Amino acid sequence: MDRRELVAGIPGAQARQNGQNAAQTYSETIVSRSPAGGDVLGQVRIATSQQIGQAMEEARLGQAAWARLSIAQRLLFVRTLRDALYRQRERITRVLIAEQGKVYEEAQVEFLATIEQVDFYLRRAAAILAPEQVSERLLPHRKLWVAHRPYGVVLVIAPWNYPLYLSTIPVVTALLAGNSVLYKPSEYATQIGELLAMAIAEAGFPPEIFHILHGYGPTGAALVEAGPDRIFFTGSVPTGKRIAHAAAEKLIPVTLELGGKDAAIVLADADITRAATGVVWSAMFNAGQTCGSVERVLVDRRIADRFVAAMQKVIERQVLNGDGSPRRELAAVTTPAQIEIIDSQVKDALAQGARAVTGGHRLDRAGGRYYAPTILVDVTPGMRVFQEETFGPVVAVLPFDTLDEAVTLNNATEFGLIASIWTRDERAALRLTPRLKVGNVAINAHLEATGLTSTPWGGIKASGYGRSHGPDGLLEMTYSQTINADRFGFLHEPFWYPYTPVKRSFFSRLIHLLYGPTWRDRLKALF
Ligand code: NAD
């Protein structure tokens, strides 16, 4: 059976495949502009409330039939989607560069991480979603298993910083699990959103089960209000709180992938050159616009000056030219609001006594929005640049004297996404890991943690809750349904009426046998 036959039973799928769309009325548009030069890249229409209602209705109708397909059948569509993404790789990379201001290699890395995560699920989804057999000590005569059921309609709201990666993963996991999807890309990533929607259409998914709806915050809020069965949100803490609040009113389960204020903890025995190179890359990649980028450097006071000098050298050699102008390795700052946040945090720190060893100002390059790679020293924990997400190419350095102090400083913000430990002593690093209040720890690396496909990704505290990536990320799109059934065809169950003296004696013997703290207590089961 090919994919066309599979969707034949889904209401409206054929009509949509033949190009008969329902009448649509639009209000305003969103114009996409390049942050690295201001060129207009395209425009999309903002979804009306009528379209949101209609998309929800169609998504509900289509989901039931989609969920009835086997996982092997749904995987056929996802395999075709992977192939469509592969064919579109150059176009997608070009749009990531144009719309987000990324540099070529970093756009490629986003594409690579995305397609690898899709491929991981192609290989593993059937096993992850298979019902699990379990046994129950008190009911050995009954068969038990746990099935993973789709919620229904999943709302995916995505941010702008990795618009392909952070949209494709929740969309694909939701669909694989048997849900339909309403997808709202960021207003700063509409063109990438459209490319993903085109790839999904090209892969032949029934149109009812995937809807792209553009808009700003109010459109996101209206989509939440429309009552999806689950929400997967990636974005800022304030928006995450708003969504969690609105969802709580309707008791809609929510996954929140929010911000970070990650620290690199550099111990005295670290390989300084390697650590400085890794920390600078993890801080400056995508101009620091990564939830898991290094924003704070906690460094042993004994090597602090040497380490700062080493980081400065890496910036001067690998991110800047000899005359201080940025090399092509430095990405643009994607949104106008973001560069204001970066600049105001740096200015605030400088006004309070911090010092910029390098950078500390905007960099205008060919009309684009750029910020100079910045190292701030003489930072104090009370400063905004130490506490608030900067989301720019800026690191705040703070020396520590003891490991206890390093742990306290690491945990001293509202966030808890990644921490990295840089040392030659892996065992010392491992001893620190349980004390760090973060969802991910990397040893002698940092940013790579954001792209791991087979392990859970997510944070704690204000970095959010729920998980993406790996088996957890797929199961996040399902609820567990426990099923128990008769194993031997008994006519009667031991717990049913009537309550006879034999039954009473049996229960008390069982309690002695299973839970008696001593052998003497357990022996009571015999008498
Ligand atoms: P944002 O919160 O401004 O917007 C995210 C999305 O939410 C956008 O699509 C936006 O239109 C929508 N939105 C805004 N208001 C809404 C509302 N009231 N109801 C529903 N939707 C609404 O975030 P952003 O600036 O696009 O993204 C950057 C943030 O995302 C940073 O804080 C970053 O740390 C975080 N992030 C987290 C992760 C992670 O995995 N933890 C990954 C990437 C980015």
Side-chain angles (χ1 to χ4, degrees):
M1 200 187 265
D2 78 0
R3 285 168 301 114
R4 273 195 162 262
E5 288 173 68
L6 287 173
V7 299
I10 297 182
Q14 287 305 310
R16 278 298 199 88
Q17 284 196 340
N18 297 335
Q20 299 165 17
N21 277 318
Q24 293 179 338
T25 47
Y26 296 102
S27 57
E28 302 158 49
T29 58
I30 299 176
V31 177
S32 173
R33 282 177 196 282
S34 164
D39 300 343
V40 172
L41 305 170
Q43 60 177 321
V44 293
R45 290 181 163 140
I46 296 176
T48 62
S49 54
Q50 185 202 345
Q51 285 167 329
I52 291 175
Q54 189 177 331
M56 178 61 91
E57 208 174 296
E58 285 187 11
R60 282 212 185 289
L61 266 173
Q63 188 268 330
W66 175 246
R68 277 198 297 275
L69 299 184
S70 67
I71 177 66
Q73 290 170 327
R74 290 199 294 270
L75 278 166
L76 278 179
F77 291 89
V78 175
R79 182 159 291 117
T80 323
L81 172 62
R82 182 202 56 192
D83 297 346
L85 290 172
Y86 171 79
R87 278 194 300 278
Q88 295 289 338
R89 64 194 179 282
E90 276 306 322
R91 190 168 173 202
I92 291 173
T93 308
R94 277 202 311 276
V95 174
L96 283 172
I97 294 167
E99 195 172 35
Q100 263 57 56
K102 290 181 191 260
V103 302
Y104 188 75
E105 290 79 354
E106 296 180 358
Q108 278 182 312
V109 169
E110 177 168 357
F111 182 84
L112 180 64
T114 305
I115 200 159
E116 174 61 9
Q117 187 71 69
V118 173
D119 205 70
F120 168 84
Y121 286 121
L122 282 174
R123 286 177 272 125
R124 296 285 307 280
I128 296 167
L129 292 176
E132 293 156 39
Q133 290 220 343
V134 270
S135 58
E136 180 78 15
R137 193 162 71 159
L138 285 185
L139 298 170
H141 61 294
R142 297 198 66 76
K143 293 182 287 192
L144 270 102
W145 60 98
V146 180
H148 305 291
R149 306 291 187 212
Y151 278 96
V153 180
V154 174
L155 169 61
V156 173
I157 301 183
W160 48 261
N161 59 332
Y162 291 93
L164 177 73
Y165 188 56
L166 298 170
S167 301
T168 308
I169 297 174
V171 165
V172 164
T173 47
L175 291 172
L176 260 179
N179 301 283
S180 54
V181 170
L182 301 187
Y183 162 53
K184 196 197 91 57
S186 165
E187 54 273 39
Y188 293 105
T190 54
Q191 301 305 305
I192 273 292
E194 284 293 310
L195 279 186
L196 176 59
M198 274 168 54
I200 286 174
E202 198 183 318
F205 282 85
E208 285 65 31
I209 64 160
F210 175 81
H211 297 260
I212 181 166
L213 297 142
H214 290 288
Y216 296 92
T219 306
L223 283 161
V224 173
E225 217 33 53
D229 302 299
R230 174 158 198 109
I231 300 172
F232 192 104
F233 171 75
T234 311
S236 64
V237 174
T239 310
K241 283 184 184 169
R242 259 178 241 130
I243 290 176
H245 196 266
E249 284 296 325
K250 296 177 184 286
L251 291 177
I252 302 171
V254 187
T255 303
L256 297 177
E257 297 284 355
L258 309 179
K261 189 75 204 174
D262 293 357
I265 303 171
V266 187
L267 306 191
D269 70 339
D271 176 327
I272 289 187
T273 308
R274 181 191 154 89
T277 312
V279 167
V280 167
W281 178 75
S282 300
M284 306 299 159
F285 188 95
N286 200 27
Q289 300 165 111
T290 311
C291 53
S293 68
V294 171
E295 297 207 349
R296 299 178 299 152
V297 174
L298 308 174
V299 53
D300 190 302
R301 194 180 298 280
R302 289 168 289 178
I303 59 159
D305 290 344
R306 273 192 292 147
F307 191 70
V308 168
M311 282 198 296
Q312 187 179 358
K313 204 152 121 187
V314 176
I315 289 175
E316 280 165 3
R317 294 202 176 150
Q318 297 182 15
V319 200
L320 298 177
N321 293 311
D323 61 359
S325 64
R327 284 164 61 112
R328 61 165 206 87
E329 273 79 0
L330 186 67
V333 175
T334 305
T335 75
Q338 194 52 49
I339 202 151
E340 297 304 332
I341 294 171
I342 301 168
D343 204 36
S344 82
Q345 283 190 23
V346 171
K347 282 193 175 127
D348 175 77
L350 295 175
Q352 290 191 56
R355 188 165 52 85
V357 172
T358 181
H361 52 84
R362 296 170 71 135
L363 269 183
D364 289 326
R365 194 174 72 173
R369 259 188 309 273
Y370 290 86
Y371 202 85
T374 300
I375 301 175
L376 293 174
V377 294
D378 301 335
V379 169
T380 59
M383 289 178 183
R384 284 179 58 205
V385 80
F386 192 86
Q387 292 293 336
E388 296 174 18
E389 187 178 47
T390 309
F391 229 50
V394 177
V395 287
V397 182
L398 210 86
F400 62 81
D401 293 300
T402 64
L403 288 182
D404 284 348
E405 200 189 337
V407 169
T408 307
L409 285 169
N410 179 76
N411 297 341
T413 76
E414 64 169 338
F415 297 102
L417 201 49
I418 313 184
S420 57
I421 306 167
W422 301 79
T423 173
R424 287 190 172 92
D425 183 351
E426 188 179 294
R427 289 169 76 173
L430 287 173
R431 277 197 300 276
L432 277 185
T433 56
R435 303 175 64 194
L436 302 173
K437 302 280 182 219
V438 288
N440 310 264
V441 183
I443 299 172
N444 294 325
H446 189 103
L447 199 61
E448 291 85 344
T450 59
L452 299 176
T453 54
S454 53
T455 48
W457 164 258
I460 59 162
K461 298 168 38 189
S463 293
Y465 42 75
R467 289 294 180 261
S468 184
H469 306 194
D472 299 45
L474 183 51
L475 293 174
E476 191 86 354
M477 299 299 184
T478 67
Y479 64 91
S480 306
Q481 184 179 63
T482 304
I483 302 158
N484 75 83
D486 203 13
R487 194 190 293 277
F488 303 117
F490 291 155
L491 291 176
H492 196 81
E493 286 287 326
F495 290 95
W496 291 358
Y497 301 133
Y499 296 150
T500 59
V502 172
K503 203 168 273 188
R504 190 184 315 167
S505 150
F506 172 72
F507 289 157
S508 60
R509 281 161 196 265
L510 195 62
I511 291 167
H512 286 306
L513 184 68
L514 296 180
Y515 315 110
T518 65
W519 280 112
R520 188 179 297 224
D521 293 319
R522 284 189 205 169
L523 279 175
K524 286 183 192 156
L526 298 176
F527 308 109

